[in-house]
Amino acid sequence: MSDSLFINACYNKNTARPPIWFMRQAGRYLPEYQALRSNYSFLEMVHTPSLACEVTLQPITRFGFDAAILYSDILVISEAFQLHFDFIEGKGPQLRESQLSVAEIATSLAKQPDVETLSYVYDAIKLLKPELKETPLIGFSGSPFTVACYLIEKQSSKTFSNIHSLINSDPDLLHTILDRLTAVTITHLSNQIKAGVNAVQLFDTWGSILSGTLYHDFSLAYMQKIVSAISAYNIPIIIYSKDTKHKIKSLASLNCNVISVDWDTPISSLITHYPTLAWQGNLNPHTLLKSLPDSLKETKLICDSMKESQGFIFNLGHGILPKTPLDHVKAVVDYVKG
Ligand code: CP3
């Protein structure tokens, strides 16, 4: 992997060109994904290593991205506590055990997790490694706070009223939940690394709903524990954060290798302020829905602004959208590679 553009960029080394991959690159915008998906549910695909392997490879085969990301989800980790999410078309994830109160969810999380339940994730990684040859594989987890948001809200939320009221009414219970999730996340990431992933990304999508000390206490502090534990494996650690504008300084203090940002902040200004870190991003995924010239124009702007910088990984600021035209993706990949 020492020749990998992606791994070298993660370590802030000079690369001949920026590596490129897209969050959610294996997904519904691909006809070959939709063809498989019409025969299986999302969870069936995630739970079956041969299918997860096939789907992970699809965008690599079609576009030649510089890194693969394992086809899985941040919410499967709750299966280790016998809590399950169903993924319902148009509605997003829904906690199957929806009758449970917050206290009962906390009780489930306080039990010893059965991480063996997640062995299909590690089996998929083992299947993928020989198929990927020299293309690095990214493993991942959600940040404890992001996963807790789904467990406490029991589904996707716009207001996050349950988690906000828990912060106010029983912060200690939330800390207990986050402690349990942190421990299992460290085990889950360690197992992915032992199975063969070459880098890991921690998705802190909903840290964005917190500010100031709340963000520090309920999200950042737990990510710090994970980064400290995972650093022992000497592979790159990427933190993804959304609505990051006011959080960059805190994120930069985490001692991770790469920070992946949304499109709110010009990535060139970040690299100037934090030159020892590598940066990943940050094309707005909505841009790819516009015309091909628009997609290329924005791509060129980002690449030009980063021309003099090492430690840059071209990506989107959030996951690729299902209606994204394939030729726009191809044009952007070819541009960055060229
Ligand atoms: O990036 C990748 O391609 C790797 C696989 C991956 C998925 N989800 C597959 C998926 C990764 C890294 C995730 C992360 C994830 N999952 C996050 C953090 C990143 C982010 O998007 O903010 C979150 C919050 C989730 C939870 C989740 N999973 C939601 C809210 C949804 C429903 C919305 C949607 O996009 O459909 C999912 C389902 C999901 N996870 C799909 C995929 C490919 C769609 C499945 C399908 O219907 O085929």
Side-chain angles (χ1 to χ4, degrees):
M1 283 297 147
S2 58
D3 290 338
S4 158
L5 285 173
F6 169 73
I7 299 291
N8 282 332
C10 285
Y11 284 130
N12 208 3
K13 292 186 185 155
N14 230 336
T15 52
R17 61 163 176 87
I20 176 169
W21 71 278
F22 282 176
M23 287 182 274
R24 290 280 176 95
Q25 64 191 17
R28 283 168 296 189
Y29 73 107
L30 288 176
E32 56 272 35
Y33 176 84
Q34 284 170 355
L36 257 190
R37 179 75 170 76
S38 63
N39 299 320
Y40 305 98
S41 71
F42 173 59
L43 276 183
E44 280 170 337
M45 291 187 17
V46 162
H47 285 157
T48 310
S50 58
L51 293 173
C53 173
E54 183 177 346
V55 172
T56 302
L57 293 169
Q58 285 175 345
I60 309 301
T61 309
R62 182 186 271 267
F63 298 115
F65 283 112
D66 294 306
I69 183 158
L70 179 69
Y71 183 76
S72 185
D73 197 84
I74 63 165
L75 299 179
V76 297
I77 202 160
S78 65
E79 292 169 10
F81 299 100
Q82 275 70 56
L83 296 168
H84 308 84
F85 281 92
D86 291 313
F87 293 80
I88 296 164
E89 203 69 53
K91 280 195 173 166
Q94 311 260 315
L95 187 65
R96 196 176 300 161
E97 295 76 15
S98 59
Q99 77 288 353
L100 296 180
S101 66
V102 172
E104 286 167 332
I105 291 170
T107 307
S108 300
L109 292 174
K111 291 181 188 145
Q112 190 61 28
D114 177 11
V115 185
E116 274 292 294
T117 319
L118 301 171
S119 53
Y120 59 87
V121 174
Y122 320 129
D123 291 342
I125 294 168
K126 288 179 202 153
L127 281 183
L128 269 162
K129 285 302 292 171
E131 297 287 330
L132 280 165
K133 302 191 179 78
E134 292 306 305
T135 305
L137 178 62
I138 304 167
F140 66 89
S141 269
S143 73
F145 183 75
T146 297
V147 174
C149 282
Y150 285 95
L151 282 166
I152 305 300
E153 300 294 334
K154 303 180 188 176
Q155 59 192 354
S156 299
S157 174
K158 288 204 163 67
T159 55
F160 296 93
S161 48
N162 294 347
I163 194 112
H164 283 303
S165 74
L166 184 60
I167 288 173
N168 293 331
S169 65
D170 199 346
D172 290 345
L173 181 58
L174 182 54
H175 279 303
T176 306
I177 290 174
L178 293 169
D179 261 327
R180 304 305 303 165
L181 288 173
T182 299
V184 78
T185 301
I186 292 171
T187 308
H188 187 43
L189 287 173
S190 302
N191 288 349
Q192 292 179 56
I193 296 166
K194 288 175 196 156
V197 301
N198 308 101
V200 292
Q201 181 154 330
L202 199 55
F203 286 90
D204 189 33
T205 306
W206 296 123
S208 57
I209 67 167
L210 302 174
S211 50
T213 54
L214 291 183
Y215 174 65
H216 178 273
D217 294 352
F218 290 102
S219 193
L220 203 68
Y222 293 97
M223 290 201 286
Q224 182 61 73
K225 286 187 185 173
I226 295 169
V227 171
S228 301
I230 296 302
S231 295
Y233 292 100
N234 286 316
I235 66 165
I237 304 173
I238 309 166
I239 307 281
Y240 170 76
S241 181
K242 207 162 137 264
D243 297 330
T244 10
K245 240 191 334 242
H246 305 295
K247 300 193 162 69
I248 299 292
K249 205 169 163 202
S250 308
L251 287 165
S253 72
L254 278 174
N255 279 325
C256 60
N257 303 91
V258 187
I259 299 179
S260 188
V261 288
D262 65 24
W263 50 93
D264 238 14
T265 318
I267 203 161
S268 54
S269 71
L270 297 172
I271 222 154
T272 312
H273 282 99
Y274 302 96
T276 58
L277 279 165
W279 294 86
Q280 176 172 277
N282 65 350
L283 183 67
N284 185 337
H286 291 275
T287 304
L288 285 180
L289 296 182
K290 295 191 200 165
S291 65
L292 193 113
D294 278 319
S295 301
L296 281 176
K297 187 175 141 217
E298 292 296 320
T299 300
K300 190 170 179 318
L301 274 177
I302 295 173
C303 288
D304 284 351
S305 75
M306 299 302 281
K307 217 161 38 201
E308 306 300 327
S309 311
Q310 53 197 46
F312 167 52
I313 300 155
F314 193 97
N315 205 315
L316 304 175
H318 201 196
I320 190 165
L321 297 160
K323 293 209 165 74
T324 305
L326 296 168
D327 57 331
H328 296 186
V329 178
K330 181 167 177 4
V332 168
V333 174
D334 289 349
Y335 180 84
V336 175
K337 286 186 139 190

